[in-house]
Amino acid sequence: YSRPEMSAIWSEEAKLTRWLEIEILACEGMANRRIIPRKDARTIRRKAKFNIRQVHKNEARTRHDVLAFLEEVALQVGPAGRWIHQGLTSSDILDTTLAWQLRDAADLLIAGVRKVKAAAAGRARRHRGMLTIGRTHGIHAEPTSHGIRMALLHDEFGRAEERLVAAREEIAVGKLSGAVGTYAHLDPSIEAYVCQKLKLKPGAATQVVPRDRHAAFALTLSLVAASAERWATEFRHLQRTEVGEVEEPFAKGQKGSSAMPHKRNPVNGERICGLARIVRGHAVAALENVALWHERDISHSSAERILFPDSTILLDFILNDLE
């Protein structure tokens, strides 16, 4: 399971659609400053489109995704297309799109965390008087209540929400400052215009947005996943036959084992624990991406095409499972 809204953020067509909107907005910003003719900007807005199959054909020849895209869009627009991408570099489009995607993904994850909090709050109230034995070192200690456990889950995911909100703010930074980030070929007002339209902040950059922002986002996803794993582990322990204090839902017709179908195994909890490891592993790659050569290289690019779609989709899945 992955919510369609989260998967849609990372589809190829959705990504190219965002590229297109950024290019169009940049042209409109230039027209507002009378850098290009207004009529051409209107033509670009009206005619700019792409055929994704043709973009892929172009890329097979150019071996450059943005150039392949620009060729197709310019062909669709006609003569006015000569203004598209003027003063820009590929990273202006790629990094601004990634910020837009991560901001939208963060919104969905924040909503998922809030659902977990709401579920925990309901169970904390319902089970506040349900006595159980507390354990330290896995050994019986003093009495507690299941409601206290659920209240602690609620509290922890309150912190998760705060971290995601802060990470969303840090990552929502666009960049349209041209080659090596000097604005030599594009007035900073164009960047400000595009970012304002996309509800992003302009940010200081070289040719790329500094990757410490992206690493902070990935680390936040890891922390949220770690919290989910902590509680999944707790519930797995409490479901053990020797304890038997809680149990995952078990649907009609569900089977626990090919050899022992009567078993009710904590499959949701085990799945959460396994997927949390993947999210944490991706954070390591995001940290490695911080150190790039000079104004930029593209060693980060290939890793990010995997780690951010995977991490956000997996955490969305984890939160749904935990809820």
Side-chain angles (χ1 to χ4, degrees):
Y1 168 84
S2 177
R3 285 190 295 175
E5 303 97 308
M6 181 64 83
S7 297
I9 290 172
W10 300 107
S11 74
E12 181 76 1
E13 185 135 8
K15 180 186 75 174
L16 297 184
T17 298
R18 292 181 192 233
W19 287 9
L20 185 63
E21 181 62 17
I22 292 167
E23 294 281 6
I24 293 170
L25 286 172
C27 289
E28 290 176 347
M30 288 187 279
N32 292 341
R33 292 295 306 273
R34 301 186 184 282
I35 297 169
I36 70 172
R38 287 183 182 273
K39 66 175 184 179
D40 286 351
R42 288 193 294 268
T43 299
I44 291 166
R45 169 61 74 180
R46 186 175 72 253
K47 290 189 173 183
K49 59 183 179 179
F50 61 88
N51 181 298
I52 195 166
R53 291 183 180 177
Q54 186 58 51
V55 173
H56 291 160
K57 286 181 182 178
N58 293 349
E59 187 174 358
R61 171 176 46 83
T62 63
R63 301 186 63 135
H64 194 290
D65 53 356
V66 176
L67 280 174
F69 168 77
L70 292 171
E71 282 186 7
E72 166 63 2
V73 174
L75 185 66
Q76 298 288 342
V77 172
R82 68 189 182 278
W83 305 116
I84 296 173
H85 206 66
Q86 178 173 267
L88 301 176
T89 189
S90 297
S91 294
D92 292 329
I93 307 305
L94 298 173
D95 279 8
T96 304
T97 294
L98 182 57
W100 188 0
Q101 290 171 308
L102 291 174
R103 192 269 316 277
D104 289 354
D107 286 340
L108 294 176
L109 294 173
I110 290 165
V113 165
R114 287 172 178 164
K115 288 182 179 179
V116 171
K117 283 177 58 186
R123 286 171 173 79
R125 295 186 189 99
R126 189 179 316 125
H127 301 304
R128 63 183 180 272
M130 183 182 288
L131 290 177
T132 184
I133 190 69
R135 297 172 179 85
T136 60
H137 306 273
I139 307 300
H140 282 196
E142 295 293 324
T144 182
S145 80
H146 192 59
I148 289 174
R149 285 190 186 126
M150 295 300 95
L152 289 170
L153 191 159
H154 179 274
D155 185 58
E156 186 162 348
F157 276 83
R159 297 192 296 277
E161 180 182 353
E162 291 171 1
R163 290 174 183 133
L164 279 169
V165 169
R168 179 195 187 278
E169 180 73 11
E170 183 169 5
I171 202 63
V173 169
K175 178 264 179 192
L176 282 88
S177 51
V180 303
T182 62
Y183 300 98
H185 306 290
L186 195 73
D187 191 278
S189 64
I190 309 304
E191 177 184 74
Y193 173 82
V194 174
C195 288
Q196 184 268 327
K197 288 290 185 180
L198 299 177
K199 296 182 173 58
L200 300 172
K201 298 172 298 184
T206 58
Q207 187 149 322
V208 296
V209 173
R211 258 43 199 178
D212 62 291
R213 293 182 180 274
H214 302 76
F217 190 88
L219 286 167
T220 298
L221 301 187
S222 295
L223 271 171
V224 179
S227 289
E229 183 180 9
R230 176 210 168 179
W231 287 100
T233 299
E234 174 70 7
F235 299 145
R236 287 170 61 194
H237 278 309
L238 294 175
Q239 187 167 336
R240 286 181 300 133
T241 306
E242 294 81 0
V243 179
E245 291 184 7
V246 303
E247 188 173 87
E248 288 185 6
F250 200 82
K252 184 177 181 180
Q254 183 175 341
K255 305 297 181 185
S257 164
S258 62
M260 299 165 286
H262 60 281
K263 290 189 70 188
R264 296 191 173 193
N265 298 326
V267 292
N268 284 13
E270 291 172 340
R271 186 164 56 222
I272 288 170
C273 292
L275 295 179
R277 297 166 191 166
I278 305 298
V279 177
R280 281 200 299 275
H282 284 334
V284 175
L287 287 168
E288 297 288 345
N289 285 344
V290 173
L292 302 177
W293 289 13
H294 302 299
E295 283 58 58
R296 75 127 184 190
D297 57 56
I298 61 166
S299 59
H300 64 288
S301 177
S302 53
E304 287 176 354
R305 290 167 195 245
I306 298 168
L307 75 91
F308 284 121
D310 275 12
S311 294
T312 53
I313 289 171
L314 287 175
L315 185 55
D316 189 53
F317 184 101
I318 286 169
L319 293 172
N320 181 73
D321 247 5
L322 185 63
E323 180 198 349

